[in-house]
């Protein structure tokens, strides 16, 4: 067994009545990685995370945290800290008391770093949790999680309630965690954030993992949009459509051609060499376009 | 006019497709209360009718007028059981036997339902959606209050119908029913009023129930101390006594009850106006408290969560049992002089009332009900934490679920012991004041002897937490409240022995008049342990809700 993986699942499945929320998930996140866990609403991200934490019992398969079975929480949870999508705190406790409690029962906390984080996230720790806004409740959980030295941080949409300033602080904290060698498992709908902090992403659709790839690789795999401007009309370029990896060849005008290209550009460039090309513009797709492609894709 | 080209904002239709939004709110409220209302209404309709019918076949004609006069005159009897004014009548006996019990049951149920349908919904943020529409907060509160008042009046109506069908006097049945309806409506209105004041459901429920039970205490004091009899007019239970169904048949106290409902209800609607949604009128201080040192470990958290409830329940139980102690001598003297009632009390489940030890033992049996209810509320609080998602962060730490619930259970069991000791010492203090001859050790032993029933409740609540987490409170109280009712009925009507044996109370000895029933206590605790183990096993392996 690969005990160096921060997190590993094998055929992990969860059924709620007739809904198959997670369907045979096989996933390995090596230690030290910042992993983005993406997918449309209801894809099964939170369900997966709650199974990783032992809050939900898988109907099939199993998960391991640094080699400890996820359902053995006393051992597995010594390796992790968690920020839920919806942070609920005891309303009569103050923020400080919540932090103290989580530090007291948690996997070990760096109290000096925690106090620094309280300042950086502009948290007012002597207010009662019942008076906190959604974002402030989230900050309590974030401060508690980042202040632990747990080797794995499991974050479920941790920034959905944060303002841009706090969002920036959050990204810094992720970078600091990564520098310390902590592994981050981040579920998020904020694609810019994922783009900025993650090294690898997994995309979940309807409970199934449809892609796991590094961000650079993902870009490479996906098609880019090529715009060709010509000095004079070249009808023979219609043959481009027959080349491998080429799709959507359109003549916008007599002198402009667009096409979508997947894979190496060699054959297309070869074909274009015969024509009188003024300008070629190759545009990489934004991450957003890539994800939207995946989210909307009909499963085979 | 030349402004014909000005764009006008689209106008909203007068009413939504599914009826007016107000009706929609009423529908939501009805859906939330209908199941509980059905259960309580059935109980209030059937139980008294049943008691009245059984009375005819058991007691009719066994009590002479002289005894009755003595009973009605004795302040101790009145204090504990309410005024006994028409025991020679099936209806009157039913009022005496069940009036207070049903009043407390219906009143507390209505108050808890009131806070559950208003404050709990608001606390969970579900009213934000409702109020995002065209409805104002006072409108939503008023709609809920209307539904709750009707629901709380239904048990009273059912009671009147049941007693009419059982053949008791019409006026008495109607007035008894009206008084019970009034108590229920007072409870409901108090619940909604408290929901406007307190920002959390638990605080609101505590406030409403505390006011109701203070009313019960006022009734008792008013009955026990003639100079304070006017307290009745401020207590729903005192007013029920003043109605004297089947004897005096006075309607005026019912009107006073309705006035109470009007005051509490309009108070609730007024308080709802101009208040922030999601907050209460009595906003707690939101900053400035020094962080508690308790909150650094699981046991500390459990103790921290237990402090306030223990204070509140301890104050209530202490006051009640102090009164019990103070009444000891007058009660015993009365029963020594009136053997007929001692026999009757024995049949109603109060044996050996002739000595101070027997007397306090009988009342310590009652203590098992609030202790069991307390135990159940503690586990219900854990279930509520789970539902609200407050345990996710805790359980994401290296904290096993079973470990946390066991910690809370231990704290709860400790609190039960503490409350029992408070009740015992309060009884001793009262009895010592009037020189009744009850030792502190005896009082403590008597109060502690009922703890196994409370532990059984704790076990049942844990089983429910594992298997039926939405019914923790109901199933948790069942061994105490249901068992008590079962025993009283079985004793009163000489049901077969095995029926009574199902009740845990059958297996409690009358400590300090008798030695402990060790076997009974061991069996109950073993049963509690089995229930707890089953519940915890399931709790550790099921999906966490919320
Ligand atoms: N307790 C439950 N009972 C029944 N169905 C559930 C339960 N929890 C989740 N589901 C279903 O499982 C599926 C996955 O839900 P999940 O919360 O994991 O989605 P998600 O990917 O986190 O979505 P989002 O991005 O909206 O947070 C959904 O179809 C949801 O309806
Ligand atoms: Mg989610």
């Amino acid at each position: 067994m690969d005990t160096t993986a921060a997190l590993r699942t094998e055929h992990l499945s969860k059924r709620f009545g007739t809904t198959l929320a997670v369907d045979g998930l096989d996933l390995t996140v090596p230690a030290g990685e910042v992993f983005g866990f993406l997918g449309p609403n209801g894809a099964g991200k939170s369900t997966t995370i709650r199974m990783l934490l032992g809050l939900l019992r898988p109907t099939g398969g199993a998960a391991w945290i640094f080699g400890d079975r996820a359902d053995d929480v006393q051992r597995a949870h010594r390796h992790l800290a968690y920020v839920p999508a919806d942070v609920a705190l005891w309303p009569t406790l103050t923020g400080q008391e919540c932090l103290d409690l989580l530090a007291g029962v948690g996997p070990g906390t760096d109290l000096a770093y925690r106090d620094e984080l309280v300042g950086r996230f502009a948290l007012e720790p002597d207010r009662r949790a019942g008076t906190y806004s959604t974002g402030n409740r989230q900050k309590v959980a974030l401060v508690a999680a980042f202040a632990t030295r747990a080797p794995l941080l499991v974050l479920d949409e941790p920034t959905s309630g944060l303002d841009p300033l706090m969002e920036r602080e959050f990204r810094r904290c992720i970078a600091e965690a990564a520098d310390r060698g902590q592994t981050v498992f981040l579920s998020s709908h904020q694609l810019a954030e994922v783009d900025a902090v993650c090294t690898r992403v997994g995309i979940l659709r309807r409970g199934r993992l449809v892609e796991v790839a590094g961000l650079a690789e993902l870009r490479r795999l996906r098609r880019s949009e090529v715009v060709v401007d010509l000095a004079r009309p070249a009808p023979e370029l219609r043959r481009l459509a027959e080349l491998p990896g080429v799709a959507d060849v359109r003549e916008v005008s007599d002198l402009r051609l667009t096409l979508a290209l997947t894979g190496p550009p060699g054959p297309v460039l070869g074909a274009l060499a015969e024509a009188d090309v003024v300008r070629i513009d190759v545009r990489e797709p934004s991450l957003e376009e890539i994800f939207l492609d995946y989210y909307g894709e009909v499963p085979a | 006019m030349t402004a014909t080209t000005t764009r006008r904002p689209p106008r909203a239709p007068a009413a939504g497709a599914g009826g007016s939004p107000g009706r929609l709110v009423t529908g939501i409220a009805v859906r939330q209360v209908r199941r509980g209302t059905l259960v309580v209404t059935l109980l209030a309709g059937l139980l008294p009718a049943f008691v009245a019918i059984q009375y005819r076949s058991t007691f009719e004609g066994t009590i002479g007028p002289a005894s009755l006069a003595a009973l009605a005159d004795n302040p101790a009897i009145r204090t504990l059981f309410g005024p006994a004014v028409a025991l020679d009548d099936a209806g009157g006996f039913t009022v005496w036997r069940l009036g207070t019990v049903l009043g407390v049951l219906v009143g507390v149920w209505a108050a808890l339902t009131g806070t559950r349908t208003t404050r709990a919904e608001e606390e969970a943020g579900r009213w934000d959606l409702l109020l995002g529409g065209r409805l104002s907060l006072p409108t939503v509160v008023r709609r809920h209050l209307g539904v709750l008042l009707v629901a709380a009046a239904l048990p009273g109506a059912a009671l009147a119908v049941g007693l009419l069908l059982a053949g008791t006097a019409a006026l008495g049945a109607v007035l008894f029913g009206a008084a019970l309806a009034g108590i229920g409506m007072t409870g409901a209105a108090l619940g909604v009023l408290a929901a406007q004041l307190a920002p959390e459901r638990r605080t609101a429920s505590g406030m409403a129930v505390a006011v109701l039970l203070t009313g019960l205490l006022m009734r008792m004091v008013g009955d026990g101390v003639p100079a304070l009899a006017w307290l009745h007019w401020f207590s729903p239970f005192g007013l029920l006594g003043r109605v004297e169904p089947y004897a005096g048949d006075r309607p005026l106290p019912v009107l006073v009850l309705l006035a109470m409902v009007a005051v509490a209800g309009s108070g609730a609607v007024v308080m709802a106006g101009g208040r922030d949604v999601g907050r209460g009128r009595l906003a707690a201080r939101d900053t400035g408290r020094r962080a508690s040192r308790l909150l650094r470990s699981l046991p500390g958290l459990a103790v921290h969560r237990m402090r306030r409830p223990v204070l509140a329940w301890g104050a209530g139980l202490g006051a009640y049992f102090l009164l019990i102690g103070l009444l000891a001598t007058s009660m015993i003297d009365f029963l020594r002089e009136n053997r007929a009632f001692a026999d009757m009390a024995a049949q109603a489940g109060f044996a050996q009332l002739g000595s101070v030890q027997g007397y306090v033992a009988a009342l310590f049996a009652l203590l098992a009900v609030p202790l069991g209810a307390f135990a159940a509320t503690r586990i219900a609080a854990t279930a509520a934490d789970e539902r609200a998602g407050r345990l996710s962060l805790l359980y994401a730490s290296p904290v096993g679920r079973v470990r946390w619930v066991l910690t809370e259970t231990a704290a709860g069991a400790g609190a039960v012991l503490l409350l029992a000791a408070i009740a015992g010492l309060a009884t001793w203090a009262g009895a010592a004041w009037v020189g009744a001859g009850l030792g502190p050790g005896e009082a403590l032993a008597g109060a502690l002897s009922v703890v196994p029933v409370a532990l059984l409740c704790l076990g049942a609540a844990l089983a429910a937490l594992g298997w039926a987490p939405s019914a923790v409170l109901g199933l948790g109280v069942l061994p105490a409240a249901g068992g008590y009712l079962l025993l009283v009925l079985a004793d009163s009507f000489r049901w077969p022995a095995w029926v009574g044996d199902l009740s845990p109370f059958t297996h409690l000895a009358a400590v300090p008049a008798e030695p402990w029933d060790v076997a009974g206590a061991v069996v109950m605790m073993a049963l509690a342990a089995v229930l707890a183990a089953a519940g915890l096993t399931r709790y550790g392996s099921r999906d966490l809700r919320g």
Side-chain angles (χ1 to χ4, degrees):
Chain A
M1 200 173 73
D2 179 14
T3 50
T4 55
L7 180 162
R8 193 165 70 84
T9 72
E10 230 170 57
H11 306 305
L12 194 66
S13 304
K14 181 69 191 178
R15 181 180 282 286
F16 293 110
T18 54
T19 320
L20 192 55
V22 176
D23 186 6
L25 191 71
D26 288 303
L27 181 67
T28 304
V29 178
E33 193 164 78
V34 179
F35 187 86
F37 196 45
L38 308 176
N41 290 137
K45 303 180 297 295
S46 296
T47 305
T48 306
I49 288 177
R50 290 171 70 77
M51 282 194 285
L52 291 174
L53 290 162
L55 300 177
L56 296 178
R57 302 298 171 188
T59 27
W64 291 265
I65 310 289
F66 285 100
D68 287 325
R69 280 188 64 103
D71 46 12
D72 180 3
V73 298
Q74 308 259 19
R75 295 166 68 90
H77 290 189
R78 283 180 321 190
H79 310 300
L80 63 80
Y82 169 54
V83 176
D86 224 336
V87 180
L89 305 167
W90 276 293
T92 53
L93 302 195
T94 62
Q96 186 64 47
E97 286 171 328
C98 294
L99 290 174
D100 286 346
L101 179 66
L102 291 172
V105 301
T109 296
D110 180 340
L111 292 178
Y113 186 51
R114 187 186 73 182
D115 293 343
E116 182 198 324
L117 287 175
V118 166
R120 280 167 62 183
F121 278 103
L123 190 68
E124 295 173 76
D126 50 359
R127 289 177 69 91
R128 284 163 180 264
T131 69
Y132 277 148
S133 64
T134 315
N136 280 326
R137 281 201 304 275
Q138 221 156 24
K139 285 190 218 164
V140 172
L142 278 171
V143 168
F146 281 128
T148 65
R149 290 291 177 248
L152 172 64
L153 303 177
V154 180
L155 314 175
D156 190 357
E157 291 185 46
T159 57
S160 54
L162 298 191
D163 63 46
L165 224 57
M166 293 304 135
E167 164 78 36
R168 197 179 58 185
E169 211 52 65
F170 168 78
R171 291 185 195 182
R172 280 191 197 141
C173 286
I174 295 272
E176 287 164 24
D179 286 346
R180 281 191 298 266
Q182 286 175 295
T183 312
V184 179
F185 188 79
L186 169 68
S187 153
S188 178
H189 287 302
Q190 316 237 5
L191 299 174
E193 164 186 299
V194 171
D195 199 7
V197 303
C198 293
T199 43
R200 214 159 62 102
V201 298
I203 297 174
L204 202 65
R205 277 193 83 246
R206 302 199 192 163
R208 286 166 171 274
L209 207 52
V210 290
E211 185 73 81
V212 183
L215 279 180
E217 186 187 352
L218 209 59
R219 285 213 167 84
R220 219 175 322 116
L221 274 177
R222 303 311 290 183
R223 51 197 194 170
S224 16
E225 191 179 313
V226 181
V227 181
V228 183
D229 285 331
L230 302 166
R232 54 175 185 283
E236 72 277 10
L237 282 184
R238 283 183 204 142
R239 282 183 295 114
L240 280 173
E242 293 153 25
L243 293 176
V246 174
D248 281 351
V249 179
R250 275 188 298 141
E251 290 176 79
V252 180
S253 69
D254 278 351
L255 298 177
R256 172 171 279 192
L257 195 78
T258 68
L259 59 88
L261 173 66
T262 318
V268 173
L269 292 180
L272 288 177
E274 296 161 17
D276 194 352
V277 176
V278 180
R279 187 169 157 265
I280 299 183
D281 185 24
V282 180
R283 199 177 63 81
E284 280 219 317
S286 74
L287 207 53
E288 185 157 312
E289 282 168 311
I290 297 177
F291 291 139
L292 290 180
D293 240 15
Y294 275 115
Y295 285 17
E297 217 169 57
V298 189
Chain B
M1 285 291 289
T2 54
T4 46
T5 53
T6 309
R7 288 245 200 108
R8 245 179 282 160
R11 201 162 311 147
S20 78
R23 278 219 210 118
L24 211 73
V25 174
T26 304
I28 291 172
V30 168
R31 223 169 312 139
Q32 282 179 305
V33 302
R34 59 187 173 190
R35 201 147 36 112
T37 307
L38 185 69
V39 172
V40 177
T41 302
L42 278 179
L43 194 72
L46 296 177
L47 196 60
F50 180 72
V51 167
I53 291 168
Q54 292 253 331
Y55 172 88
R56 292 237 171 77
S57 55
T58 319
F59 295 130
E60 190 99 83
T62 57
I63 306 167
S67 310
L68 283 177
L71 191 64
D73 284 346
N74 184 275
I77 291 278
R78 284 205 312 258
T79 305
L80 288 180
F81 304 106
V85 287
L87 293 195
D88 52 347
D89 177 81
F93 176 81
T94 310
V95 173
W96 186 63
R97 193 77 207 82
L98 287 179
T100 304
V101 174
L102 279 179
V104 171
L105 180 85
V106 172
V108 169
W109 161 77
L112 294 180
T113 309
T115 53
R116 174 171 62 82
T117 48
T118 56
R119 177 46 67 181
E121 293 295 295
E122 195 176 332
E123 201 183 339
R126 283 189 280 273
W127 277 19
D128 289 5
L129 274 179
L130 219 55
L131 293 166
R134 271 165 291 168
L135 292 162
S136 68
L137 183 59
T139 311
V140 172
V141 168
R142 199 153 31 78
R143 290 270 173 178
H144 277 82
L145 182 65
V147 171
L148 286 161
L149 289 180
V150 172
L154 285 178
L159 172 109
V161 171
L163 283 177
L164 282 175
L165 292 179
T168 66
L171 185 57
V174 169
L175 282 175
F176 187 17
L180 185 68
I183 294 176
M185 286 156 73
T186 309
L190 282 175
V192 180
L193 176 60
Q196 310 313 309
L197 301 179
E200 289 152 39
R201 172 201 182 173
R202 223 172 301 162
T203 320
S205 299
M207 276 167 57
V209 171
V211 170
L212 267 185
L213 294 187
T214 305
L216 181 63
L217 216 57
M218 277 160 71
R219 198 280 288 152
M220 294 174 70
V221 172
D223 276 322
V225 186
L228 296 178
W230 51 269
L231 281 176
H232 286 166
W233 292 98
F234 299 93
S235 153
F237 305 97
L239 289 167
L240 168 63
R242 292 262 163 165
V243 172
E244 294 189 7
Y246 301 101
D249 280 335
R250 283 188 280 267
L252 179 63
V254 174
L255 296 181
V256 176
L257 258 176
L258 293 181
M260 266 184 195
V261 176
V263 169
S266 44
V269 176
V270 169
M271 285 294 165
R275 125 179 122 71
D276 298 340
V277 178
R279 291 176 60 105
R281 284 278 177 175
L282 307 176
R285 277 195 312 153
D286 54 359
T287 56
R289 204 154 48 98
R290 284 222 356 260
S292 165
R293 307 193 123 265
L294 276 177
L295 292 166
R296 303 206 170 157
S297 66
L298 289 187
L301 176 64
V303 169
H304 189 270
R305 286 162 52 67
M306 205 61 75
R307 293 181 314 179
R308 270 220 253 166
V310 166
L311 271 180
W313 287 70
L317 287 174
Y320 182 85
F321 278 90
L322 186 68
L323 196 59
I324 300 283
L326 287 172
L327 292 171
T329 38
S330 55
M331 187 76 183
I332 297 152
D333 291 346
F334 172 78
L335 288 169
R336 283 216 188 102
E337 287 155 20
N338 297 274
R339 295 306 313 169
F341 287 112
D343 293 346
M344 194 167 141
Q347 274 164 8
F350 298 98
Q352 306 191 20
L353 283 184
S355 70
V356 67
Q357 283 76 12
Y359 159 75
V360 294
L363 288 152
F364 282 145
L366 267 179
L367 173 64
V369 178
L371 288 187
F374 173 83
T377 59
R378 296 325 302 158
I379 304 302
T382 310
D385 281 341
E386 178 189 345
R387 177 87 269 181
R390 286 190 284 264
L391 297 183
S392 292
L393 276 175
L394 201 59
Y395 289 157
S397 307
V399 172
R401 295 182 203 177
V402 173
R403 188 170 132 220
W404 168 237
V405 174
L406 274 180
T407 310
E408 286 232 276
T409 304
V416 164
L417 284 175
L418 186 62
L419 290 175
I422 289 174
L425 290 177
T427 312
W428 166 74
W433 181 266
V434 296
L438 179 73
E442 286 179 316
L444 268 181
L448 291 173
S449 73
V450 302
V451 164
V453 180
L455 295 184
L456 199 57
C457 288
L458 204 54
L462 287 173
L465 182 67
W467 298 93
S470 52
V472 170
L473 191 59
L475 293 176
V477 197
L478 194 62
Y484 189 76
L485 206 60
L486 184 68
L487 180 76
V488 169
L489 291 177
D491 272 358
S492 295
F493 304 122
R494 303 185 186 121
W495 286 352
W498 65 266
V499 179
D501 282 348
L502 291 179
S503 165
F505 290 88
T506 314
H507 309 285
L508 283 181
V511 187
E514 298 170 0
W516 277 57
D517 183 345
V518 176
V522 167
V523 170
M524 269 188 257
M525 300 216 286
L527 196 57
V530 169
L531 284 171
L536 284 174
T537 309
R538 170 76 180 156
Y539 181 65
S541 62
R542 70 171 168 81
D543 286 349
L544 205 70
R545 305 171 307 157

